Amino acid sequence: MYDSILVPLALDHGISAQTLEISRALCSEKGQITALHVYEVPKGSVSVYIGEETVERGFARARQILNEKIAGMEGVRAEITRGQAHLAIIEYAVKHGHDCIVIGSHKPGLVDYLIGSTAARVVRHAPCAVHVHRDS
C-alpha cells in the first residue's frame, strides 16, 4: 500500500476512471491520491499565432475537465501544471514526495519504439514505484 499516489491523466484518453480505481486499490487507508494533468503549451512558431489569451483559456478548460473527472471521488485532489508531460510528472512526483505513480498507457506503436511514450519515459526515470495500466 502506498501513502501518496500520483495519477497523471491525459484528458483526451478514456481510461482515467480505470486508472483512478487502480490507484484507490493501491492506496493505504489514510493515503492521498493526486490526479495530475500536464498542460502542454504549444511550442515554437505555433505559440506566436495563438496568443497568450488562447493558451490561458485552454488551461482553464483543462482544469475544468480535470475537476469534472474527479468530481465526487473522495480522497482525490486535482492538480494541473504546465510543461512537457514526462518531465513535469517526474518533477511533480519528486517535489511532492509521491511514493507511487499510476499511469495509463496505450498499446505501443512503431513511433513509441523510436521515441518512447510518456508512460515509458516515466517508468525509466521515476524515483518511485510506477504501475502502468494498459487499456486493452
Side-chain angles (χ1 to χ4, degrees), residues 5-77:
I5 299 177
L6 181 62
V7 184
L9 299 176
L11 302 179
D12 58 342
H13 294 166
I15 63 172
S16 299
Q18 296 156 339
T19 308
L20 286 165
E21 283 306 311
I22 291 166
S23 68
R24 282 187 179 287
L26 295 170
C27 195
S28 66
E29 188 177 315
K30 295 184 181 186
Q32 176 67 42
I33 298 169
T34 303
L36 175 71
H37 176 67
V38 179
Y39 184 77
E40 294 193 51
V41 179
K43 297 175 181 90
S45 60
V46 173
S47 63
V48 173
Y49 295 106
I50 62 172
E52 187 61 30
E53 184 179 311
T54 302
V55 170
E56 289 305 316
R57 276 198 317 266
F59 187 81
R61 178 70 179 132
R63 181 183 300 278
Q64 178 186 357
I65 293 168
L66 178 61
N67 285 330
E68 289 169 3
K69 282 189 178 282
I70 68 156
M73 298 183 115
E74 188 178 326
V76 179
R77 65 186 181 98

Side-chain angles (χ1 to χ4, degrees), residues 83-123:
Q84 192 173 359
H86 72 283
L87 295 174
I89 291 165
I90 293 166
E91 180 181 304
Y92 194 94
V94 169
K95 182 178 179 182
H96 297 279
H98 291 285
D99 54 358
C100 180
I101 299 171
V102 177
I103 189 167
S105 182
H106 55 82
K107 184 177 179 182
L110 180 60
V111 173
D112 296 314
Y113 289 112
L114 299 174
I115 62 172
S117 68
T118 298
R121 290 176 180 175
V122 169
V123 167

